[in-house]
Each structure stands twice: as C-alpha cells, then as structure tokens.
Amino acid sequence: SGALEEGPLKPLPLGDVARQINGTNELWLAMAMAYPAVADLPPAQLASLIAALVSADAVSRPQMSCAYGPSERVMEVVNGLGDDQLALAVLQDNHGVSLPLDIDLRLCGLVEAWTAGADWESVTGDCTLDDGDVARLLSRTSDMLRQVSHIPQLLPELRENARAAYKSMDRAPISELLR
C-alpha cells in the first residue's frame, strides 16, 4: 500500500498521513486523501467526499432517503478511487484484516448542501434522518476536515480547502457540537 518502508519498519509519507487520521480505517482514509484529484475539489465537494467516507461511522440506518444527490465531480473522484479501494481490499484480505473500505454516497449531497450554505431546516427537512443523525454526520465530517487541514504531508491546496470547508460547516447547530 506504500505506507511502510521495507526492512526496519519506518512509515512512508502515506503511513505518516494514516498515523494522523482518526477513523475506522486510517489507511483507507489516508489513501483517499492522498489521491491527487481530491486536492482539486472545492470545499463543499471535499466535505461531500469526506462524508461519503465517514457516513457509515456516523449513520447506521440502512433505510433512508435524501433529496440531495452527489455532485458529478464527487462521483468522478469516487470512481477514480475504485482501483485504490480494490487494491487495499485485496491487501487487507491477504493479511487477514477486516476493516471497512466504505464509500456511501447516500448523504454526501446533504453535506455538500450544508457546507455550501443551506440552512438547518432545509437539510433536515429534505431527508428521512432525524436531527441527531444529521448532526452526527455533519459533526463527524467536520472533525475529519479539521484533521485533514492539519496534516503537513498532504497537499497545501487540500489542507486549505479542508480548512475552508470546516469553517463553512462550523455554524449553528453544528458549531455547538464541535466545541
């Protein structure tokens, strides 16, 4: 996966990124953040992609609907991540590791709308989740954006867009959860 140097175990830059991320599968999240096209996503779309990567941790409802779909650009990046996702799945399987490699697109449009300035009543009214589930998803996404914004091994554009997305998401009622 390119995270550790052979011989004496020493983390490579991808391993350093994974070490600084807190999530269910840190290596998968690091690989996704290191994918070059991710750095080109504007803040709201970056938040959307991160929501797709963390929503399984935040929302565990199999039956839900949302009026907001993923943007075309986010879909392109997700499709581009497919080869890395498959390669890591094979590597994990070969080593008996059973960590999820989730990408759940069902709510990423909702996160993109919130980050772009939609109000609380709109985002909660346009999906079948209760307010607590929406708040948990937005909070988890915000937390991951904050983490990404502080990882020096990631591209400066990505860190800057993560900071901008975090700031856009940091408003009531989510801001109260982040403090």
Side-chain angles (χ1 to χ4, degrees):
S1 68
L4 290 174
E5 201 173 270
E6 290 192 33
L9 293 180
K10 179 181 175 197
L12 295 170
L14 183 63
D16 280 334
V17 172
R19 183 179 54 81
Q20 296 174 70
I21 290 179
N22 181 17
T24 303
N25 188 337
E26 286 90 355
L27 183 55
W28 169 233
L29 294 169
M31 289 174 73
M33 292 302 99
Y35 184 67
V38 172
D40 296 331
L41 290 173
Q45 291 178 350
L46 177 60
S48 176
L49 174 68
I50 288 178
L53 295 169
V54 303
S55 63
D57 293 344
V59 179
S60 60
R61 293 189 180 196
Q63 302 298 322
M64 67 176 124
S65 65
C66 180
Y68 308 98
S71 66
E72 186 176 323
R73 184 70 182 115
V74 170
M75 288 299 301
E76 290 170 5
V77 172
V78 166
N79 289 334
L81 285 169
D83 289 343
D84 287 347
Q85 185 183 31
L86 180 60
L88 184 56
V90 169
L91 187 64
Q92 286 185 174
D93 189 52
N94 289 344
H95 291 84
V97 175
S98 60
L99 292 172
L101 299 165
D102 297 323
I103 298 178
D104 187 344
L105 297 168
R106 295 177 297 167
L107 297 171
C108 63
L110 179 144
V111 173
E112 186 171 340
W114 174 258
T115 308
D119 63 56
W120 181 251
E121 291 73 27
S122 296
V123 296
T124 56
D126 288 340
C127 69
T128 58
L129 295 175
D130 62 32
D131 290 6
D133 286 333
V134 173
R136 192 170 24 266
L137 172 64
L138 295 174
S139 177
R140 181 71 181 109
T141 302
S142 294
D143 179 59
M144 185 60 62
L145 286 163
R146 184 192 51 75
Q147 291 178 49
V148 167
S149 74
H150 289 91
I151 300 174
Q153 292 84 357
L154 293 173
L155 292 172
E157 308 86 56
L158 175 58
R159 294 192 323 262
E160 184 178 317
N161 286 339
R163 262 189 297 281
Y166 176 83
K167 287 179 183 176
S168 294
M169 294 183 77
D170 186 19
R171 52 196 167 90
I174 303 308
S175 56
E176 289 101 36
L177 299 173
L178 300 176
R179 303 213 191 309

